[in-house]
Amino acid sequence: MSTETFTRKPSSLTSSIYPKHIPKLRVGAIKDDLGFTLSERLALRQAWNLIRPFERRYGQDIFYSFLNDTYWGINKFRNAGELNLKALHLHALQFIHFFGVLIEESDPVMFQLMINDNNLTHSQCKVGSAYIGNLAQALVDYVLKVFQKVSSLSLEQGFRKIVEKFQSYHDQLPAKTAYHRVSKLDVH
């Protein structure tokens, strides 16, 4: 036998396949695009499945107690001195429902747009982002208290991340006019 058969150079096809590169090993929990781990996302969704049938009651409990603790908050629902109960009840239900929709949202762009839109709407009503962040924290505290026997570290961390996303939003001052020009109405 000649030595040519043993010292043959590998073909380009075999050199592209072998040796196979080992992928980099990731240590720890893998996070999705929103920053949640799989166990946090699962814990949030499971908790929300337990909350969903009681949205109205939990929303009212949290919203009313929070508004009463911040005495001026309830005044946002007054029309000519009278308390608008319909708007108050509807807002309590929408508040907790919005939190649930955020938990179900998996697209990071849509998630951020929802938070931005929510905070922009509230800032137009002179309700600051700190107030919204505190309300979100009140919801988390309430839910964790209700589910304290079945709560987990993943659930607590998942809720904390949502509250952080609310609190990271900063109030934006609305522009005076387009292109930031001053109009006659802006000059006193």
Side-chain angles (χ1 to χ4, degrees):
M1 281 178 128
S2 72
T3 58
E4 291 178 20
T5 57
F6 292 100
T7 60
R8 181 188 284 171
K9 291 185 179 183
S11 70
S12 62
L13 179 63
T14 57
S15 65
S16 66
I17 297 174
Y18 297 101
K20 201 170 199 174
H21 294 286
I22 298 174
K24 290 185 179 184
L25 181 65
R26 293 185 185 181
V27 179
I30 298 174
K31 297 181 180 182
D32 65 5
D33 293 336
L34 290 168
F36 295 99
T37 64
L38 180 62
S39 60
E40 290 167 350
R41 181 63 79 177
L42 183 63
L44 285 169
R45 286 187 176 152
Q46 287 176 341
W48 209 256
N49 286 336
L50 296 173
I51 293 168
R52 189 174 288 119
F54 305 103
E55 275 184 344
R56 180 177 298 279
R57 187 177 79 196
Y58 290 170
Q60 289 175 352
D61 288 350
I62 298 160
F63 200 70
Y64 300 158
S65 63
F66 185 78
L67 288 179
N68 285 328
D69 290 345
T70 56
Y71 63 92
W72 65 269
I74 199 82
N75 291 327
K76 294 285 183 186
F77 295 94
R78 291 192 185 277
N79 290 336
E82 288 187 30
L83 195 58
N84 185 347
L85 292 176
K86 181 179 179 183
L88 186 64
H89 291 310
L90 183 62
H91 207 80
L93 182 61
Q94 287 174 339
F95 154 69
I96 196 155
H97 184 73
F98 178 71
F99 216 83
V101 170
L102 282 177
I103 288 173
E104 295 294 327
E105 185 58 54
S106 59
D107 181 18
V109 174
M110 194 63 192
F111 186 93
Q112 193 59 45
L113 283 173
M114 290 167 60
I115 288 182
N116 289 350
D117 187 48
N118 178 61
N119 287 329
L120 183 63
T121 300
H122 282 90
S123 67
Q124 291 171 350
C125 298
K126 296 181 178 35
V127 177
S129 61
Y131 181 80
I132 295 169
N134 292 339
L135 182 58
Q137 185 62 53
L139 173 109
V140 168
D141 293 343
Y142 181 87
V143 168
L144 291 176
K145 183 180 174 186
V146 168
F147 294 114
Q148 84 183 49
K149 291 183 180 178
V150 293
S151 182
S152 67
L153 183 60
S154 295
L155 180 62
E156 292 174 18
Q157 289 173 340
F159 274 134
R160 187 182 71 234
K161 286 179 182 178
I162 291 177
V163 170
E164 287 171 359
K165 291 182 186 302
F166 272 107
Q167 292 173 339
S168 67
Y169 182 88
H170 297 289
D171 292 322
Q172 297 175 354
L173 298 173
K176 303 262 185 210
T177 58
Y179 305 108
H180 301 287
R181 289 188 255 164
V182 178
S183 70
K184 289 189 269 181
L185 299 173
D186 296 328
V187 180
H188 294 101

